[in-house]
């Protein structure tokens, strides 16, 4: 049987990289949208904290830990989250920075997570840790991908790690035979095999959330700012998180919309 593949050469490359590495990193597709997002955060920060007049946006974000007490971090993060998720334009611009890349791996009829997540990780702070996990372990659908957008350069422990697909295959066989008491023991068993992501501001990461991933204490001298949001094809299977509850359709096409509404007329 002939197999047709009408993807572009770039879409094929993105697909191959995603399957091989478990993720892709690309320059953002829309710099205006990225600048809009960064400005949104800077405005929210400046409403609460004062900075030097000539301080660049990246300096404000990278050295935010010098302005905020660790005890105030979570309340501040929640207020920022509430603000960005109430803004419909924020979701639009978030999609714009990754649109061609997420379409290459998930299709062009997409559902987007209702609430975008935010991680602010201060140096030495252990209150913002995301232990090793696979989203699918907690009931998410394997038909999802995560768009992870940094607002600063992220590297080493200022970033996140992921277990590559070839290593995950071995891990899956091992975990079925060994009982792990907690997530830390799982991490210790794979820490030499995980891939630490290096990504600069101006780039976007899309990764396979079925693979084990997480972060550790930020041992670098700068604050990490990153967002993440799940996307999936509207018509692929859902896990515990359903459309309308957790996901919203963002690019439903006309034929699909009409097809979903179509009712066969009653014949005599």
């Amino acid at each position: 049987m002939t197999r047709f593949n009408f993807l572009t050469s770039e879409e094929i490359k993105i697909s191959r990289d995603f399957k091989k590495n478990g993720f892709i990193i690309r320059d953002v597709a829309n710099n205006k949208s990225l600048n809009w997002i960064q400005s949104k955060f800077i405005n929210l920060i400046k409403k609460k904290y004062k900075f030097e007049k000539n301080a660049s946006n990246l300096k404000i974000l990278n050295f935010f830990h010098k302005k905020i007490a660790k005890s105030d971090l979570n309340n501040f993060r929640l207020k920022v989250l509430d603000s960005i998720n109430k803004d419909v334009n924020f979701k639009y611009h978030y999609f714009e920075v990754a649109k061609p890349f997420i379409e290459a791996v998930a299709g062009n009829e997409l559902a987007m997570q209702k609430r975008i997540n935010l991680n602010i990780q201060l140096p030495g702070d252990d209150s913002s840790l995301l232990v090793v996990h696979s989203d699918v372990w907690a009931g998410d659908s394997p038909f999802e991908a995560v768009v992870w957008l940094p607002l600063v350069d992220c590297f080493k422990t200022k970033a996140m790690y992921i277990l590559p697909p070839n290593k995950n295959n071995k891990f899956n066989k091992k975990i079925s035979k060994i009982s792990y008491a907690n997530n830390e023991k799982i991490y210790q068993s794979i820490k030499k095999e995980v891939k630490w992501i290096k990504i600069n501001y101006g780039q976007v990461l899309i990764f396979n959330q079925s693979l084990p991933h997480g972060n550790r204490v930020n041992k670098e001298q700068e604050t990490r700012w990153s967002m993440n949001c799940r996307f999936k094809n509207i018509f692929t299977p859902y896990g515990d998180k359903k459309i309308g509850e957790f996901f919203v359709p963002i690019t439903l096409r006309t034929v699909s919309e009409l097809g979903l509404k179509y009712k066969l007329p009653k014949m005599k």
Side-chain angles (χ1 to χ4, degrees):
M1 179 178 177
T2 302
R3 181 179 177 181
F4 295 100
N5 189 340
F6 297 150
L7 298 176
T8 66
S9 58
E10 179 59 21
E11 288 171 333
I12 291 171
K13 186 176 189 311
I14 288 172
S15 299
R16 286 175 177 169
D17 289 349
F18 191 83
K19 286 189 284 188
K20 178 183 177 181
N21 302 317
F23 66 90
I24 58 168
I25 294 175
R26 294 292 189 275
D27 291 342
V28 297
N30 190 322
N31 281 298
K32 287 184 178 179
S33 286
L34 179 63
N35 292 335
W36 186 96
I37 290 171
Q38 189 192 64
S39 296
K40 179 81 172 179
F41 278 94
I42 294 299
N43 290 335
L44 290 170
I45 293 170
K46 286 184 174 180
K47 284 182 180 179
K48 180 77 174 176
Y49 300 96
K50 291 183 179 180
F51 291 85
E52 301 84 358
K53 289 183 179 180
N54 61 346
S56 67
N57 290 349
L58 285 177
K59 184 175 181 180
I60 289 172
L61 294 165
N62 272 318
F63 297 99
F64 182 65
H65 55 277
K66 295 188 176 182
K67 295 290 183 178
I68 191 170
K70 290 181 181 179
S71 57
D72 296 331
L73 179 61
N74 195 51
N75 283 336
F76 175 79
R77 186 182 70 87
L78 291 175
K79 288 180 180 178
V80 172
L81 269 173
D82 185 60
S83 178
I84 66 174
N85 281 299
K86 283 181 178 177
D87 189 340
V88 177
N89 291 321
F90 198 96
K91 292 180 177 62
Y92 167 77
H93 287 293
Y94 198 92
F95 174 54
E96 280 293 301
V97 300
K99 182 179 179 180
F101 317 126
I102 194 66
E103 286 183 344
V105 297
N108 65 1
E109 291 193 283
L110 296 168
M112 179 181 186
Q113 186 176 326
K114 273 188 171 182
R115 289 184 62 83
I116 296 169
N117 295 317
L118 170 67
N119 187 293
I120 307 173
Q121 198 175 9
L122 309 180
D125 182 18
D126 62 0
S127 66
S128 302
L129 296 185
L130 193 62
V131 296
V132 61
H133 68 289
S134 159
D135 294 5
V136 177
W137 297 349
D140 286 89
S141 167
F143 291 85
E144 299 169 14
V146 176
V147 173
W148 196 94
L149 182 67
L151 289 174
V152 291
D153 293 350
C154 293
F155 51 91
K156 297 181 180 178
T157 55
K158 191 187 172 190
M160 60 164 279
Y161 62 80
I162 188 168
L163 187 66
N166 62 330
K167 302 294 184 181
N168 186 54
N169 293 335
K170 296 177 182 178
F171 170 72
N172 285 337
K173 294 177 182 178
K174 183 168 61 175
I175 198 171
S176 64
K177 299 177 182 178
I178 302 174
S179 176
Y180 291 98
N182 54 46
N183 294 87
E184 181 60 24
K185 286 190 175 181
I186 294 177
Y187 174 74
Q188 291 300 325
S189 73
I190 62 174
K191 69 177 184 179
K192 294 181 180 179
E193 298 177 326
V194 299
K195 168 72 175 179
W196 282 92
I197 299 297
K198 184 181 184 301
I199 181 170
N200 295 326
Y201 173 69
Q203 296 180 312
V204 62
L205 163 73
I206 301 176
F207 71 89
N208 179 356
Q209 46 91 48
S210 298
L211 298 170
H213 58 279
N215 64 19
R216 304 292 286 178
V217 173
N218 179 7
K219 295 181 180 178
E220 316 313 318
Q221 300 303 308
E222 298 172 345
T223 298
R224 165 184 155 189
W225 291 77
S226 64
M227 292 165 285
N228 66 84
C229 184
R230 297 179 183 90
F231 290 79
K232 69 189 302 299
N233 186 289
I234 294 172
F235 298 107
T236 52
Y238 291 79
D240 293 340
K241 297 169 181 176
K242 308 297 184 183
I243 193 165
E245 300 171 359
F246 189 83
F247 286 97
V248 290
I250 59 170
T251 53
L252 186 66
R253 306 295 174 167
T254 301
V255 170
S256 296
E257 183 180 356
L258 293 172
L260 290 169
K261 292 178 179 178
Y262 180 79
K263 293 182 180 179
L264 192 67
K266 292 181 180 180
M267 303 290 186
K268 287 186 178 182

